[in-house]
Amino acid sequence: MSTTTTPTPTPDAGPTTDAAPHRAGAGNLVHVASSTGLRVLAAQALAQLPEAFRKLDPRHLWRSPVLFLVWCGSVLTTVVAVVDPGPFATWLAVWLWLTVLFGNLAEAVAEGRGKAQAASLRATRSDTVARLLDDAGATTSVPSTRLRVGDRVVVEAGEVVPGDGDVVEGIASVDESAITGESAPVIREAGGDRSAVTGGTTVLSDRIVVHITAAAGESFLDKMISLVEGTSRRRTPNEIALSILLVSLTLVFLAAVATLPPMADYAGAPQELVVLIALLVCLIPTTIGALLSAIGIAGMDRLVRVNVLAMSGRAVEAAGDVSTLLLDKTGTITYGNRQASAFLPAPGVTEEELRDAARLASLADQTPEGRSIVALALSQGADDQDLPAGLDFVEFTAQTRMSGVDLAGGRQIRKGAGSAIAAWLGIDIDPQVVAAVDDIARQGGTPLLIGSRGPHGERAALGVVHLKDVVKDGMADRFAQLRSMGIRTVMVTGDNALTARAIAEEAGVDDFLAEATPEDKLDYIRKEQAGGRLVAMTGDGTNDAPALAAADVGVAMNSGTSAAKEAGNMVDLDSDPTKLIDIVEIGKQLLITRGALTTFSIANDIAKYFAIIPAMFVAAYPSLDALNVMGLATPQSAILSAVIFNALIIVALIPLALRGVRFRAAAAADVLRRNMLVFGLGGVLVPFVGIKLIDLLVSTIPGIG
């Protein structure tokens, strides 16, 4: 027989649901810096100029070896310009300093957005008075800053939750708009997966007792402020690896430039120090070196805009490399509110008898499933006024897996899992009823068996109610996109294998895990990781904590327990399980952006070779003038134009670094091909045009042209 997951009634039904719609721009975190328009970006850049100047401090720059080397070159060029004044050395010094400044500006603008978001969060944080509950049940008023882990506090309607914790007693409607920006209140209750409350939120109704799980200064809000401000950001493994590559390239070019003076002297074309510095700055990967930090910060910022907090940059990066997604069926792939669609009576039972029995058994069931059974019965002609006297309702429990009603006179009616009803009746179920149960399961529905026991020992299975779980619109297309990117989707459900298979086929997922226990999820994750794959999953309950901790990307719902949020490395403030797909796309966009700008930066060097090398040696080797394909005016204008382009391209790419390269669902080979075509070829061609246009202006400067 099939099993069912009929839940106990929950107060989240109705307008106070946690299923806040996912929308970019939701929440206070987003309103501060949601626009990426050029006008707004220009204003942000202007506001961050003082910070960019402060970052010229070599104690800050040494953490970025590429920019630090440009800073050293700027100092040397400035010294030369002071000792031996001349327009060429002076202009070179100016633009080398601007190169460092523009690199600092990219990082400052990215950090500035986070600081603005942090300021908005700080405005929501306030010291409150907590009513501390002692063992005797008495309360004492204390400042929230004195609360310790393990304390219990009482919070009633109109009061602010003084600290992070779990509801251990009571149920209440809570306003979380200060954290999530969602105006609709949510339900928080003891003993479930919606027990976590956040300090700074407001209780709107009833009374709850909260067990404090975070000390003052270590609350969720404090972590949010630290994260969006960037004070706790650490470089990710890929970022570190790319930094090592950039340093290696810099050392190679430094060695190459260092060997040029003796060779140039031997060739009869001695080179000035400022020319060698200009050559080095143009050859090393200055562009990506200047933008690398901003790209990483902006990646976390894009997550914040969709109301997701990443506890580390490593998690964002891992999201881009994920190859297996574990997704809950209910609420993620399906709408979750199973609806009664048909009454299938047993042989010898009329549809009216089954309809009326199912309605009576569901009158006290306030779950969406229970209400849908009553609604279906009324739509098929049941009399809403015809209620027997002396009804005694029996609530659903996880142990019995059924609910129902006891009527006056001794008749009992129950609805629930097939195996549970069969055990309660103590009889063999009619084969036609068993076939109907299996057929519903194969269709992806949930079969609910209705049984009856009479006062004189009569026992009968009256029939089956077909509960239908509807797959969300567009999910099959999204899974197809993920498949095209090489990502495997796995549906996780507590339903039996037949039901799980039918839903999986309809939704288009690659695999499913039926009747899943916490141990099953953990084992599946470890098996995938043993095969070299990165795994992402969502969860909200304490029983999800082991799997969330084991997953490479564990997204905990903000509505879930503190244990789940501590175990995951991301928290979704909207508590929307489908957000996992968006997180993967943002992670991939981060990696694609970093790769695209690295490709563009390295490709830039080709044009600079054609600009600087002929200019340096054309006096000794006139035949090198053939390499002056851009027709640059003079050797000095060629070198200065290349340096100016090298600085300006950083500014031009700041919007792209912050916004990210447009993400398109495609296989890795297709993404690489597009990057090479757009950013590789573009990185070769754009400098030729840019340097030539700059040369037309530079050549008009006295002493340069």
Side-chain angles (χ1 to χ4, degrees):
M1 301 298 291
S2 170
T3 60
T4 183
T5 55
T6 305
T8 53
T10 67
D12 266 359
T16 59
T17 178
D18 266 339
H22 166 49
R23 48 186 170 80
N28 287 347
L29 296 178
V30 181
H31 297 316
V32 180
S34 60
S35 175
T36 55
L38 291 179
R39 183 178 300 175
V40 173
L41 183 60
Q44 291 173 342
L46 189 62
Q48 293 302 321
L49 264 179
E51 181 63 23
F53 275 103
R54 280 193 289 270
K55 289 178 178 288
L56 290 175
D57 187 336
R59 291 172 296 181
H60 169 79
L61 286 170
W62 74 268
R63 288 176 292 182
S64 175
V66 176
L67 281 184
F68 181 70
L69 190 59
V70 178
W71 180 88
C72 293
S74 303
V75 171
L76 290 174
T77 307
T78 303
V79 171
V80 172
V82 171
V83 173
D84 186 15
F88 180 61
T90 301
W91 280 107
L92 273 182
V94 169
W95 281 101
L96 288 177
W97 280 115
L98 286 175
T99 302
V100 183
L101 184 67
F102 292 157
N104 289 341
L105 186 62
E107 183 179 62
V109 171
E111 290 178 349
R113 292 184 173 194
K115 289 176 181 177
Q117 293 163 351
S120 175
L121 288 172
R122 282 196 179 93
T124 69
R125 183 176 61 181
S126 60
D127 292 335
T128 58
V129 175
R131 291 195 289 154
L132 187 62
L133 188 66
D134 60 25
D135 294 337
T139 59
T140 305
S141 296
V142 299
S144 60
T145 53
R146 287 180 51 190
L147 292 177
R148 300 290 181 266
V149 175
D151 286 346
R152 296 200 308 162
V153 296
V154 177
V155 191
E156 296 185 349
E159 296 179 348
V160 175
V161 177
D164 293 0
D166 290 324
V167 178
V168 293
E169 182 182 319
I171 180 173
S173 176
V174 180
D175 176 9
E176 294 187 341
S177 58
I179 304 298
T180 67
E182 184 60 44
S183 58
V186 297
I187 295 298
R188 294 291 173 259
E189 59 182 328
D193 290 342
R194 297 179 182 271
S195 61
V197 289
T198 305
T201 57
T202 304
V203 173
L204 300 179
S205 68
D206 303 293
R207 172 187 184 274
I208 54 176
V209 176
V210 178
H211 176 268
I212 299 298
T213 58
E218 300 176 0
S219 69
F220 186 60
L221 191 57
D222 290 312
K223 292 179 181 177
M224 288 167 62
I225 292 172
S226 177
L227 287 165
V228 299
E229 198 173 35
T231 56
S232 65
R233 193 185 100 86
R234 296 182 179 180
R235 293 195 300 171
T236 63
N238 280 354
E239 195 173 344
I240 292 172
L242 182 55
S243 296
I244 294 172
L245 173 62
L246 298 183
V247 171
S248 301
L249 289 174
T250 301
L251 292 175
V252 169
F253 286 122
L254 181 61
V257 172
T259 60
L260 273 180
M263 290 191 293
D265 291 342
Y266 179 79
Q271 301 298 320
E272 300 177 47
L273 177 62
V274 292
V275 172
L276 295 173
I277 292 173
L279 174 64
L280 177 62
V281 169
C282 289
L283 295 186
I284 63 177
T286 314
T287 307
I288 186 61
L291 297 174
L292 186 58
S293 179
I295 294 170
I297 295 171
M300 295 187 73
D301 177 65
R302 281 192 290 276
L303 275 180
V304 172
R305 292 190 210 176
V306 295
N307 267 5
V308 175
L309 288 179
M311 297 307 176
S312 71
R314 181 187 293 266
V316 186
E317 198 170 80
D321 285 329
V322 159
S323 53
T324 303
L325 289 185
L326 266 61
L327 301 161
D328 280 333
K329 174 181 77 74
T330 305
T332 303
I333 296 174
T334 65
Y335 285 105
N337 293 339
R338 294 168 295 180
Q339 302 291 304
S341 61
F343 296 117
L344 305 176
V349 179
T350 67
E351 189 168 341
E352 289 75 15
E353 288 175 328
L354 174 61
R355 177 199 69 193
D356 293 340
R359 171 175 165 267
L360 287 174
S362 304
L363 285 174
D365 186 352
Q366 293 305 304
T367 63
E369 295 90 341
R371 291 197 298 269
S372 73
I373 292 174
V374 175
L376 180 63
L378 293 176
S379 70
Q380 293 188 2
D383 187 355
D384 194 29
Q385 305 300 320
D386 182 21
L387 289 178
L391 297 179
D392 184 15
F393 294 103
V394 178
E395 293 186 357
F396 173 88
T397 68
Q399 288 74 32
T400 63
R401 292 189 298 154
M402 58 184 181
S403 60
V405 63
D406 293 341
L407 286 71
R411 188 187 182 200
Q412 299 175 315
I413 302 174
R414 298 290 186 271
K415 65 178 174 68
S419 57
I421 296 297
W424 178 73
L425 291 173
I427 61 174
D428 292 332
I429 305 300
D430 188 284
Q432 291 187 35
V433 175
V434 175
V437 168
D438 292 340
D439 185 56
I440 291 171
R442 276 191 294 271
Q443 296 175 40
T446 300
L448 212 58
L449 192 60
I450 308 297
S452 172
R453 293 201 306 204
H456 306 295
E458 310 95 316
R459 298 165 184 259
L462 302 180
V464 184
V465 179
H466 184 177
L467 296 177
K468 211 169 183 183
D469 205 354
V470 181
V471 174
K472 291 182 178 180
D473 296 335
M475 292 306 294
D477 292 337
R478 296 199 75 174
F479 291 142
Q481 290 180 347
L482 291 171
R483 194 175 299 110
S484 70
M485 293 186 287
I487 297 176
R488 186 165 166 269
T489 52
V490 180
M491 183 184 76
V492 180
T493 177
D495 290 340
N496 62 63
L498 285 175
T499 301
R501 183 180 299 278
I503 293 290
E505 290 175 353
E506 183 180 354
V509 296
D510 299 306
D511 197 3
F512 64 88
L513 189 61
E515 299 178 349
T517 64
E519 292 77 16
D520 292 335
K521 297 178 188 177
L522 188 58
D523 290 343
Y524 196 96
I525 289 172
R526 287 174 174 168
K527 183 181 71 173
E528 290 291 301
Q529 290 171 333
R533 291 175 286 273
L534 268 64
V535 182
M537 74 160 288
T538 60
D540 58 3
T542 301
N543 62 348
D544 291 324
L548 285 171
D552 299 284
V553 179
V555 183
M557 301 295 102
N558 189 44
S559 63
T561 62
S562 296
K565 289 195 281 188
E566 287 295 326
N569 49 27
M570 290 189 186
V571 177
D572 176 20
L573 301 180
D574 291 332
S575 301
D576 177 6
T578 62
K579 196 80 69 67
L580 180 58
I581 298 174
D582 300 302
I583 290 170
V584 169
E585 292 181 353
I586 289 172
K588 284 193 172 295
Q589 185 185 36
L590 169 65
L591 296 180
I592 290 170
T593 301
R594 189 183 292 157
L597 293 184
T598 301
T599 303
F600 186 89
S601 176
I602 294 175
N604 266 338
D605 288 344
I606 296 177
K608 297 168 192 173
Y609 295 148
F610 281 92
I612 297 180
I613 299 299
M616 292 175 64
F617 294 99
V618 70
Y621 300 100
S623 59
L624 285 178
D625 191 54
L627 296 178
N628 185 17
V629 294
M630 289 176 274
L632 304 179
T634 66
Q636 288 185 326
S637 71
I639 294 170
L640 184 57
S641 297
V643 171
I644 293 174
F645 176 84
N646 195 59
L648 293 180
I649 198 64
I650 295 174
V651 179
L653 291 176
I654 288 177
L656 185 60
L658 297 180
R659 185 180 65 249
V661 174
R662 184 180 177 185
F663 173 77
R664 295 177 182 174
D670 294 332
V671 173
L672 178 61
R673 191 179 304 112
R674 176 175 175 269
N675 267 4
M676 293 302 296
L677 181 63
V678 175
F679 294 95
L681 185 59
V684 172
L685 298 179
V686 169
F688 279 92
V689 177
I691 292 174
K692 176 59 180 178
L693 292 176
I694 294 171
D695 180 73
L696 293 176
L697 297 175
V698 168
S699 60
T700 63
I701 300 176
I704 302 295

